[in-house]
Amino acid sequence: MIDKLEFFIALAKEEHFGRAAEVCGVTQPTLSAGIKQLEGQLGVMLVLRGSRFQGLTPEGKQVLVWARRIVGDSRTMREEMRAARHGLAGRIRIAAVPTALAMVARLTTPFREKHPGVTFSVLSRTSIEVLTLLGNFDVDAGITYLDNEPLGRVTSVPLYDERYQLITAVGNPYSDRDKVTWAEISHLPLCLLTPDMQNRRIIDQHLAEAGVQVRPTLESNSMIVLFSHIRTGKWSSIMPLNLAETFGFSEPIRAIPIVEPDASHTVGLVAAPREPHTPLVQALLDEAMALADDFRAHR
């Protein structure tokens, strides 16, 4: 039953029999037969079939929710037994919003010192993608904003508050200031993240609250692209303080607090709301709590 449910989950994700079979490491006839057997056992049609995959039936959508829960429980049980025998081992998959990527090492490094048998996969994704990957069991945890847009049902650990700075070269407008307002920076040539990123939506929201709009002269979904343009001295940007500090901006680049309002948003670790969590995820949540204490101590 577990194997058949995993076939079904893969098909729902890939929406293609051939790709789903490849993901599961079986032939397409084996996957198709497994799903037909599952339909026979449950007594309902799960998949709309034609010459190709056409979607899930209403019953199939219901079964998909149960399938993810059952397969997740099965994986948790196997991980617990493996951890009991050999200690924590395996791979933790983390998806993080771009502005949080620079701090991931503060989570993964102490974790691996405690559990050297664990490896990591870290992906850069939008906040919406983080939640989708988490809901589909394609990642074990995410790092995203907790207090700006709806998260749905997740387990969360607040890590730090993101505060915003104007990042600009010495000699540019406002570079000699101790603070600058959101309205003032709207006149600068800005390079910002693309609108699909929640950080950009947050920035647009605070600019709108100040009564201004910005048309960036450059947009990118890569923080490296933004940093490289800032370093030319010809571009400015709006970035979280912790991110600017991580990349070590120094002269001739300045980080200037943005006020009116002095805005902040909470970033944290999220995981699927499972009880119990897999040993790996529970250990990661525990490490996140320790990191949050460290952030608060140095605030």
Side-chain angles (χ1 to χ4, degrees):
M1 174 66 81
I2 298 296
D3 288 344
K4 295 167 189 172
L5 291 174
E6 288 186 334
F7 290 172
F8 181 58
I9 292 170
L11 179 61
K13 177 186 176 185
E14 299 296 330
E15 299 183 343
H16 188 279
F17 281 92
R19 289 197 300 270
E22 186 177 347
V23 166
C24 293
V26 298
T27 64
Q28 184 171 329
T30 298
L31 181 131
S32 297
I35 290 176
K36 285 182 180 178
Q37 290 168 10
L38 182 61
E39 290 176 324
Q41 287 176 288
L42 297 176
V44 294
M45 293 293 293
L46 303 176
V47 179
L48 298 171
R49 294 177 177 84
S51 57
R52 57 186 178 181
F53 176 85
Q54 295 181 349
L56 302 181
T57 65
E59 295 81 2
K61 293 176 182 177
Q62 288 180 276
V63 169
L64 181 60
V65 175
W66 281 101
R68 287 171 173 161
R69 187 181 306 171
I70 293 167
V71 169
D73 285 343
S74 173
R75 291 173 180 171
T76 299
M77 180 184 67
R78 290 196 296 265
E79 279 196 25
E80 283 193 358
M81 295 305 100
R82 185 170 60 244
R85 292 194 308 271
H86 307 295
L88 283 183
R91 177 176 292 271
I92 297 180
R93 303 161 299 169
I94 301 172
V97 294
T99 53
L101 286 171
M103 60 70 55
V104 174
R106 294 188 61 176
L107 183 65
T108 55
T109 302
F111 186 98
R112 194 167 186 280
E113 288 176 354
K114 297 172 185 172
H115 309 290
V118 175
T119 59
F120 296 89
S121 173
V122 180
L123 307 174
S124 175
R125 293 292 185 266
T126 69
S127 57
I128 293 173
E129 290 170 337
V130 167
L131 296 177
T132 300
L133 291 169
L134 198 61
N136 291 338
F137 297 98
D138 291 324
V139 295
D140 303 297
I143 300 176
T144 187
Y145 297 94
L146 302 185
D147 62 355
N148 186 59
E149 295 179 354
L151 289 173
R153 291 183 63 248
V154 296
T155 298
S156 63
V157 177
L159 292 174
Y160 61 89
D161 290 332
E162 191 177 83
R163 310 187 86 85
Y164 305 97
Q165 308 268 307
L166 170 65
I167 311 299
T168 192
V170 171
N172 284 342
Y174 310 126
S175 64
D176 59 344
R177 300 269 291 273
D178 293 327
K179 58 186 178 181
V180 64
T181 68
W182 288 92
E184 288 172 328
I185 60 177
S186 65
H187 306 296
L188 299 176
L190 294 172
C191 51
L192 300 173
L193 287 172
T194 49
D196 59 326
M197 299 293 178
Q198 190 169 168
N199 171 266
R200 171 63 185 282
R201 295 195 292 276
I202 287 172
I203 288 171
D204 287 347
Q205 169 191 327
H206 291 306
L207 287 166
E209 290 169 352
V212 295
Q213 288 184 325
V214 163
R215 292 183 179 177
T217 49
L218 181 141
E219 296 176 324
S220 176
N221 63 359
S222 167
M223 298 304 302
I224 297 299
V225 171
L226 301 189
F227 280 118
S228 65
H229 280 78
I230 293 167
R231 288 190 183 280
T232 67
K234 305 297 183 182
W235 309 70
S236 300
S237 189
I238 303 168
M239 291 185 179
L241 173 60
N242 62 294
L243 186 62
E245 290 174 340
T246 299
F247 276 82
F249 279 130
S250 59
E251 298 295 346
I253 304 295
R254 290 204 62 212
I256 304 164
I258 305 174
V259 297
E260 298 181 22
D262 179 11
S264 67
H265 292 274
T266 303
V267 175
L269 185 78
V270 293
R274 302 184 56 80
E275 289 295 341
H277 293 289
T278 68
L280 283 174
V281 171
Q282 186 58 58
L284 188 67
L285 289 168
D286 293 342
E287 193 65 47
M289 293 177 193
L291 178 59
D293 289 340
D294 185 56
F295 275 123
R296 283 192 291 271
H298 293 86
R299 184 177 294 174

